[in-house]
Amino acid sequence: MGTLLIWQIVSGLAVSAGLAAAFYVWRCRQAQMRLHALLDTLPEPHQLLDAQGHILHANASCAAFCDGRMRPLDAVLADRLAVARRTSADDEESSAEALARLATNARNGAGGTAELRLRGTALDPGEVWVEVSVWPAGMPRGALLWQVSDITTRRQMESTIQAEQRRLVDLFERAPIGFYSVDGQGRFRFVNHTLAEWLGRSPEELVAGAALHEVLAEAPQPGTPDYAPVAELDDQIEVKLRGADGEVFEALIVQAVAADEEEGGALRTRSVVRHLTRERAAAEALADSERRFKRFFDEAPIAIVELDRGGRLRECNPAFETLLGLKGQDVIGQPLGRWVAEEERALLRETLRASAEGVGQSADLSLRGARELLCTLSVSVIDDGAGKPSGFVCHLLDTTEQKALEVQFAQSQKMQAVGQLAGGIAHDFNNLLTAMIGFSDLLLLRHRPGDQSFADIMQIKQNANRAANLVRQLLAFSRQQTLQPRMLNVTDILAELSHLLRRLIGETIELDMVHGRDLGQVRADQGQLEQVIINLAVNARDAMSGGGRLIIRTYNAAFETPQRRKGEEVAAGEYVVIEVSDSGCGISQQHLDRIFDPFFSTKEVGEGTGLGLSTVYGIVKQTGGFIVVDSELDAGTTFTIYLPRHLRRGEAMVEPEVRDARDLTGIGSVLLVEDEDAVRSFSARALRNKGYEVHEARSGEAALDMLRNDHSLSELDLLVTDVVMPRLDGPSLVREVRQDRPKLKVIFISGYAEDSFRQRVGEEEGIHFLPKPFTLKQLAGKVKEVMGEGSA
């Protein structure tokens, strides 16, 4: 009975215990189901892991976070950290350390949180910031709940706020004015870097124990509060402060006093400091700069104007007023195009438009103010500060004189080129005509008057002589004729010519000669000067076919500076002037620039050769003078000749006496290199006659061969060589010779200018030059001069 009772009791207890356990398991499962259902509703990734790290449950968000693969969150996080570490070292390394600490805490059964920087998912590859939380779940034992929250937006906002704070602090610290705050005892509580630099200390040093009154340059009056720089409290206080290096500067302090509620209402100041010494120096520098700019603007030699966007003048300098011959009040507000030639106003508008579009522009324009002139316009844009043009600054350079010089230079170049051509033709023709006339004379020896061929031969000779006369005129134009200048009195020359001129111009033309008083002398070839006057008189006669008046006037003229006359620039100096004026038909502008060209003529065929004025031009130029032409259709023409004045009337005319009493003999060994046989023969004979030992070579190659193989030239003293020779020229020969004989003296002889070879040989020592043609005395004198250099 007792045993049965005990069994029943034990059986009942067992059933009760089983029921209780079953009920407990059911309750746990119900709790897990509710937990899983709760986790599935959460938007953030959640994952329940057992003590061994196996996944017990993961919500849908967790599956998306793991790219669809169900893996423990700690492993996923570690993988994404490993990838992120390769792109940004420092931040990702700290994130990895935080994750490691979090995992260690979880394994020890402790929770925690960490903020990690991760690589994004395949759907969103950008970097993200997450907050990871790990907490013990309680059921089953040792289970951990992992939670991941996306905090990227929050971190971005925090980063933005921090950047703004840094910029604000930097602005406050580095502002161009000082800031400080002191307490009631005058101790610095804050000083920005700008004020600290002015005071020559660091902000930390000032805040560590400095007081306001310590930085004052002058001790404050008794009774001055510790927190104030002066006794009389005011919103703005001007004081003197002293830096650590002793520098004293004036400052303006704007100060407000308030209670600091965070420190129990203690007194604090909010003070702003301006560095008046620097500000006043800057203001003075700005004012000085403005004064300099104003002076430069007003005194600039170039015209400067400021235009608005519409091209109207807002401001101009005095040079612009002078350029137009107007006053500022007459031009301000007017369009610049008002003074531009009508046909060029479109060019002005296009230049301004292109400049406004950022294309630098300049243009050549014709201006019409008090006088007509040419200008080069350069335009720059005035920016309104927003990248748009608000106006223009224009510089106008007066190029009237420059353009005239360019025209004059072009005319001079043309005349020089034509002269060279004419001279070359003249020399070649002289050779031909010499043969024609010479052979005609030979034929005339065999054919006497009455012979059938005599008249034909005479005709050939006469035409050859006519051609020879034309050649002499070409030589005169090209300034290559041989002149025999001597001192002349222009009045006497004209007086002797007057009778001839009256016969040449005829009875229908009145000849009037007006002689200047106290004329100076000129140095010229009398025959050539007479030829000039005759040619001009004949041209004047042809221009007055119906009669008229020819005036020949003389006078003195002196110019301190060069004078420009109708495209010809007359050099400064004293001149005897001869004017030849007629009342004829005049010369048109289109012909005026060509009247001195050889063979140019407006006369009918057979009435002239076109060499008359060309001859006049060449003779005047070769004499050292200038000729200027003024002409107007139906009003006549004036030729003005300027001849250099050598002596005033009444002064003695003494021809310079050429005298060379020097001893031109000498001794020494000379190598003469010349490819022209006649020149070489003459030079060798001349030097031998003066006592020199002369060796001759007809080419550069022959000279080199002699120097290398002829032992008699081992003591050579001087090399005389032509510059231009076939194959090996003079400069090349000298370079070869000076490799072995660097101190050998050299004389170059050439018909070319010295500059033509100086560039090729440089500035070597012992190089001399003797131009062709030269006389015996010139050659011997140059050789003796060079041979004597360096001798005792």
Side-chain angles (χ1 to χ4, degrees), residues 532-550:
V532 167
I533 304 300
I534 291 172
N535 283 359
L536 293 179
V538 170
N539 276 355
R541 177 199 65 189
D542 295 340
M544 297 182 289
S545 57
R549 186 182 184 189
L550 174 62

Short mmCIF file of all heavy atoms in Angstrom, two decimals, residues 532-550:
data_model
loop_
_atom_site.label_atom_id
_atom_site.label_comp_id
_atom_site.label_asym_id
_atom_site.label_seq_id
_atom_site.Cartn_x
_atom_site.Cartn_y
_atom_site.Cartn_z
N VAL A 532 71.01 120.43 -113.86
CA VAL A 532 69.80 120.37 -113.03
C VAL A 532 68.89 121.56 -113.34
O VAL A 532 67.68 121.41 -113.56
CB VAL A 532 70.19 120.33 -111.54
CG1 VAL A 532 68.97 120.59 -110.66
CG2 VAL A 532 70.83 119.01 -111.19
N ILE A 533 69.45 122.78 -113.33
CA ILE A 533 68.64 123.98 -113.56
C ILE A 533 68.03 123.95 -114.97
O ILE A 533 66.85 124.27 -115.17
CB ILE A 533 69.49 125.25 -113.36
CG1 ILE A 533 70.12 125.26 -111.94
CG2 ILE A 533 68.64 126.48 -113.58
CD1 ILE A 533 69.12 125.22 -110.84
N ILE A 534 68.84 123.55 -115.95
CA ILE A 534 68.35 123.52 -117.34
C ILE A 534 67.20 122.52 -117.48
O ILE A 534 66.17 122.81 -118.11
CB ILE A 534 69.50 123.20 -118.30
CG1 ILE A 534 70.48 124.37 -118.34
CG2 ILE A 534 68.98 122.88 -119.69
CD1 ILE A 534 71.76 124.07 -119.10
N ASN A 535 67.37 121.32 -116.91
CA ASN A 535 66.31 120.30 -117.02
C ASN A 535 65.01 120.78 -116.39
O ASN A 535 63.92 120.58 -116.94
CB ASN A 535 66.76 119.01 -116.35
CG ASN A 535 67.74 118.22 -117.21
OD1 ASN A 535 68.07 118.63 -118.32
ND2 ASN A 535 68.21 117.09 -116.70
N LEU A 536 65.12 121.41 -115.21
CA LEU A 536 63.90 121.90 -114.55
C LEU A 536 63.25 123.02 -115.37
O LEU A 536 62.02 123.11 -115.47
CB LEU A 536 64.23 122.37 -113.14
CG LEU A 536 64.66 121.29 -112.14
CD1 LEU A 536 64.99 121.92 -110.79
CD2 LEU A 536 63.57 120.24 -111.98
N ALA A 537 64.08 123.90 -115.95
CA ALA A 537 63.53 125.00 -116.77
C ALA A 537 62.84 124.46 -118.02
O ALA A 537 61.77 124.95 -118.41
CB ALA A 537 64.65 125.97 -117.14
N VAL A 538 63.42 123.45 -118.65
CA VAL A 538 62.81 122.87 -119.86
C VAL A 538 61.49 122.21 -119.51
O VAL A 538 60.49 122.34 -120.24
CB VAL A 538 63.79 121.88 -120.51
CG1 VAL A 538 63.08 121.09 -121.61
CG2 VAL A 538 64.99 122.62 -121.09
N ASN A 539 61.43 121.48 -118.37
CA ASN A 539 60.18 120.86 -117.95
C ASN A 539 59.12 121.92 -117.67
O ASN A 539 57.94 121.76 -118.01
CB ASN A 539 60.39 120.01 -116.69
CG ASN A 539 60.89 118.63 -117.03
OD1 ASN A 539 61.00 118.26 -118.19
ND2 ASN A 539 61.23 117.85 -116.01
N ALA A 540 59.55 123.04 -117.02
CA ALA A 540 58.60 124.12 -116.76
C ALA A 540 58.09 124.73 -118.05
O ALA A 540 56.90 125.04 -118.19
CB ALA A 540 59.28 125.19 -115.89
N ARG A 541 58.97 124.90 -119.05
CA ARG A 541 58.54 125.43 -120.35
C ARG A 541 57.48 124.54 -120.98
O ARG A 541 56.46 125.03 -121.48
CB ARG A 541 59.75 125.53 -121.26
CG ARG A 541 59.44 126.01 -122.69
CD ARG A 541 60.56 125.63 -123.63
NE ARG A 541 60.66 124.17 -123.76
CZ ARG A 541 61.67 123.55 -124.38
NH1 ARG A 541 62.68 124.25 -124.88
NH2 ARG A 541 61.68 122.25 -124.45
N ASP A 542 57.70 123.21 -120.93
CA ASP A 542 56.74 122.28 -121.55
C ASP A 542 55.41 122.29 -120.82
O ASP A 542 54.38 121.95 -121.42
CB ASP A 542 57.33 120.86 -121.56
CG ASP A 542 58.58 120.76 -122.43
OD1 ASP A 542 58.75 121.64 -123.30
OD2 ASP A 542 59.36 119.80 -122.23
N ALA A 543 55.42 122.64 -119.50
CA ALA A 543 54.16 122.68 -118.74
C ALA A 543 53.40 123.97 -118.97
O ALA A 543 52.25 124.09 -118.54
CB ALA A 543 54.46 122.52 -117.25
N MET A 544 54.04 124.98 -119.64
CA MET A 544 53.38 126.27 -119.89
C MET A 544 53.33 126.50 -121.41
O MET A 544 53.91 127.46 -121.93
CB MET A 544 54.14 127.40 -119.18
CG MET A 544 54.16 127.27 -117.66
SD MET A 544 55.00 128.64 -116.83
CE MET A 544 56.71 128.32 -117.27
N SER A 545 52.65 125.61 -122.12
CA SER A 545 52.62 125.71 -123.59
C SER A 545 51.95 127.00 -124.06
O SER A 545 52.25 127.51 -125.14
CB SER A 545 51.87 124.50 -124.17
OG SER A 545 50.56 124.41 -123.62
N GLY A 546 51.06 127.55 -123.26
CA GLY A 546 50.38 128.78 -123.65
C GLY A 546 51.01 130.02 -123.05
O GLY A 546 50.43 131.11 -123.10
N GLY A 547 52.21 129.89 -122.48
CA GLY A 547 52.87 131.03 -121.84
C GLY A 547 52.67 131.00 -120.34
O GLY A 547 51.83 130.28 -119.80
N GLY A 548 53.47 131.78 -119.64
CA GLY A 548 53.36 131.80 -118.18
C GLY A 548 54.56 132.48 -117.56
O GLY A 548 55.23 133.31 -118.19
N ARG A 549 54.86 132.09 -116.34
CA ARG A 549 55.94 132.74 -115.59
C ARG A 549 56.80 131.68 -114.91
O ARG A 549 56.29 130.77 -114.25
CB ARG A 549 55.36 133.68 -114.55
CG ARG A 549 56.41 134.51 -113.81
CD ARG A 549 55.76 135.37 -112.76
NE ARG A 549 56.72 136.25 -112.11
CZ ARG A 549 56.45 136.98 -111.03
NH1 ARG A 549 55.23 136.92 -110.48
NH2 ARG A 549 57.37 137.76 -110.50
N LEU A 550 58.11 131.78 -115.07
CA LEU A 550 59.07 130.90 -114.43
C LEU A 550 59.87 131.72 -113.42
O LEU A 550 60.49 132.72 -113.79
CB LEU A 550 60.01 130.27 -115.47
CG LEU A 550 61.17 129.42 -114.91
CD1 LEU A 550 60.63 128.22 -114.14
CD2 LEU A 550 62.10 128.97 -116.04
#
